[in-house]
Amino acid sequence: MSDQPLVSIIIPTYNRAHLIGETLDSVVAQTYENWECIIVDDGSSDNTDEVVGAYVEKDARFKYFHRPEEHLPGGNGARNYGFKMSQGEYIQWFDSDDLMLKEKIAEQYKDILKEKSDLQICTGFKDKEGVLLPIKQNLKISLFKQFALNKTEILTPTALFKKKFLKKNDIIFNEKIKRGQEAVFFLDVLSKIMVSNVHQSSKKLFVYKLHNSSISGKDRKFSEENSQSKFFLYKEIFNNNKKTYQDDEIKIKMLKKMARIFLTSIYYNDPKATEYYNFLIQNLNRNLYKIKTIFCYYKCIGFRSIKIRNLFNNFVLKNFS
C-alpha cells in the first residue's frame, strides 16, 4: 500500500441515505487500498449524516463534508468542493448510487501507468431494475466522435484522471448547469487533452444504476433550463468539431439536435428561441444537405399544430428561399 499513490474518490450526495451505503461498501472492497473517499453532502434532509458518519468512524479513509455556500447548490458544486479538498495524485469522481467492481481502481491505475496517460476510460454495466446491461462502446472511431455521436457512453464513473492534468488545464464542473453536466465536463476534457494521453479499454469495472431517484431516471419533459443546457452542449461540440476535427457527420448531427431544440423552444415560447435561431442561421447554408435535411428536423419534433408548422415554414423560407 505504501508504494501506491493516493487516489481520491469524490462522491457528491443528496438524500441518498438509503443507497449510499452500498456504494461505500463497493469502495471498501477495492483491491487497490491507498485511497481516500471524499463524500460531499449537497444539503440532504434525510439521515445521510448518520449513515456516512458510521463509515467515517470505522475507516479513516472516508472524509465527510457539507458543501459550503461558496459553491452553488447541486452535484457540480459538491464535486468541485470535493476536488478542492482532495489530496490524491489521481482523481476518481463517482456517484452515490453506483457501484465499483472490486478491481476498478487497480485495473485503471495499472493501465494509466502502463500507457503513461493522463486519463484512463473504462466501461461498465447499467443496472435497470436488477438487469445488468453492457454500456455501449465503440472503440473503432476517435474518442471525440464516440462522445459527440453518443457511440460510447462516457459517464462520471468511467474515468480515472491524473490530478496534475486537471489542475494544469483548470478543468472543473460547470456549476451553473443542471443537466448534461457530465457531457459538458468531458467535452472540456477532450478539448484540452492530446489523443495520445488518453487510454481507453473495454474493461467493465462499474455498475451505473438507473432508478426513479436518479436524474437519469426522471421524466424529461420540456423545461427552459434543460433546453439551454442541451443547446449549450451541442453548440460547444459543434464549435470544437469545426475548430479541430472538421467531421461532417458530427456537424450534421449537432445542427439537427440544435434545430430540434429551436423548434421546440418556439413552440413553448422559450425566450431563448431567438438566440438559438441566430446561431443556426449563422451556421446553416444551402449546401448542408439542402432543404431535405431541414425537413428532417420538422419530422423528428413530432408536433402537428398549425403554429409550429407556420413557424417552421417561416424558418425555411427566410433561410433557404
Side-chain angles (χ1 to χ4, degrees):
M1 179 173 169
S2 59
D3 295 331
Q4 297 175 329
L6 182 65
V7 175
S8 296
I9 302 166
I10 302 170
I11 303 177
T13 190
Y14 176 74
N15 286 345
R16 291 278 176 78
H18 59 302
L19 295 170
I20 196 170
E22 192 176 9
T23 298
L24 300 185
D25 286 341
S26 77
V27 173
V28 173
Q30 291 300 295
T31 58
Y32 189 101
E33 296 181 337
N34 194 20
W35 50 262
E36 63 173 359
C37 185
I38 299 171
I39 303 124
V40 182
D41 189 276
D42 188 40
S44 297
S45 57
D46 61 4
N47 62 325
T48 295
D49 283 358
E50 179 184 345
V51 172
V52 175
Y55 284 86
V56 173
E57 188 174 338
K58 286 190 295 184
D59 192 329
R61 292 177 295 178
F62 286 107
K63 300 173 183 179
Y64 186 44
F65 301 94
H66 289 81
R67 175 191 51 75
E69 291 185 1
E70 66 196 62
H71 289 275
L72 295 178
N76 286 353
R79 289 183 181 102
N80 288 340
Y81 181 67
F83 182 66
K84 187 184 295 184
M85 302 306 295
S86 66
Q87 301 295 316
E89 292 181 43
Y90 293 86
I91 299 294
Q92 170 67 72
W93 275 287
F94 212 68
D95 290 332
S96 58
D97 56 343
D98 297 332
L99 304 176
M100 294 184 175
L101 301 187
K102 65 180 182 179
E103 297 288 341
K104 184 183 193 305
I105 300 299
E107 287 293 321
Q108 289 194 273
Y109 171 66
K110 181 174 70 176
D111 286 345
I112 211 170
L113 199 64
K114 179 182 177 181
E115 302 295 330
K116 298 180 180 179
S117 56
D118 291 325
L119 165 63
Q120 204 285 333
I121 293 177
C122 68
T123 187
F125 300 94
K126 281 187 176 180
D127 182 344
K128 189 174 183 180
E129 299 179 348
V131 178
L132 293 183
L133 304 171
I135 291 174
K136 62 183 175 182
Q137 187 180 46
N138 185 339
L139 302 181
K140 296 179 180 179
I141 56 179
S142 72
L143 184 58
F144 181 79
K145 193 164 185 175
Q146 291 176 50
F147 168 80
L149 301 182
N150 197 26
K151 299 291 186 181
T152 292
E153 294 180 82
I154 304 176
L155 307 166
T156 302
T158 60
L160 179 68
F161 293 93
K162 280 186 179 178
K163 186 177 185 178
K164 65 181 182 181
F165 162 73
L166 295 168
K167 294 194 77 171
K168 177 183 176 181
N169 292 283
D170 195 26
I171 297 173
I172 59 174
F173 283 86
N174 187 329
E175 298 184 14
K176 295 181 180 180
I177 61 175
K178 301 299 181 183
R179 188 176 290 281
Q181 54 263 54
E182 287 177 327
V184 171
F185 174 80
F186 279 107
L187 177 61
D188 192 20
V189 169
L190 294 177
S191 68
K192 294 176 180 176
I193 196 167
M194 292 177 60
V195 174
S196 59
N197 288 345
V198 180
H199 178 258
Q200 190 177 8
S201 79
S202 58
K203 295 176 182 177
K204 295 177 173 57
L205 299 174
F206 65 92
V207 177
Y208 183 82
K209 290 198 170 184
L210 296 173
H211 48 76
N212 290 334
S213 64
S214 69
I215 292 176
S216 302
K218 290 181 180 178
D219 183 23
R220 296 189 178 186
K221 293 182 179 179
F222 173 81
S223 78
E224 292 178 11
E225 182 181 70
N226 291 347
S227 291
Q228 289 171 27
S229 295
K230 288 178 182 178
F231 197 93
F232 173 78
L233 171 63
Y234 302 147
K235 183 173 73 172
E236 291 299 298
I237 293 174
F238 179 88
N239 288 336
N240 195 279
N241 176 67
K242 185 177 180 180
K243 178 181 177 182
T244 306
Y245 298 93
Q246 300 179 6
D247 187 304
D248 285 344
E249 186 179 358
I250 295 174
K251 177 171 67 176
I252 296 296
K253 186 76 171 181
M254 293 307 107
L255 287 170
K256 282 185 177 182
K257 285 178 175 289
M258 287 186 284
R260 176 169 182 160
I261 292 173
F262 163 67
L263 290 171
T264 308
S265 70
I266 55 177
Y267 184 82
Y268 285 105
N269 294 314
D270 184 345
K272 285 284 184 177
T274 302
E275 178 183 324
Y276 303 155
Y277 173 83
N278 288 335
F279 183 84
L280 283 168
I281 62 172
Q282 287 171 12
N283 290 283
L284 289 170
N285 58 65
R286 287 179 180 275
N287 298 322
L288 194 62
Y289 279 60
K290 299 186 179 179
I291 297 177
K292 183 178 178 181
T293 299
I294 307 305
F295 272 98
C296 291
Y297 303 158
Y298 178 61
K299 289 178 182 178
C300 74
I301 203 68
F303 296 125
R304 296 179 178 274
S305 73
I306 294 174
K307 178 180 178 180
I308 194 68
R309 192 176 303 166
N310 289 341
L311 287 166
F312 169 76
N313 289 336
N314 186 52
F315 174 69
V316 172
L317 288 170
K318 281 186 176 180
N319 295 283
F320 296 92
S321 57

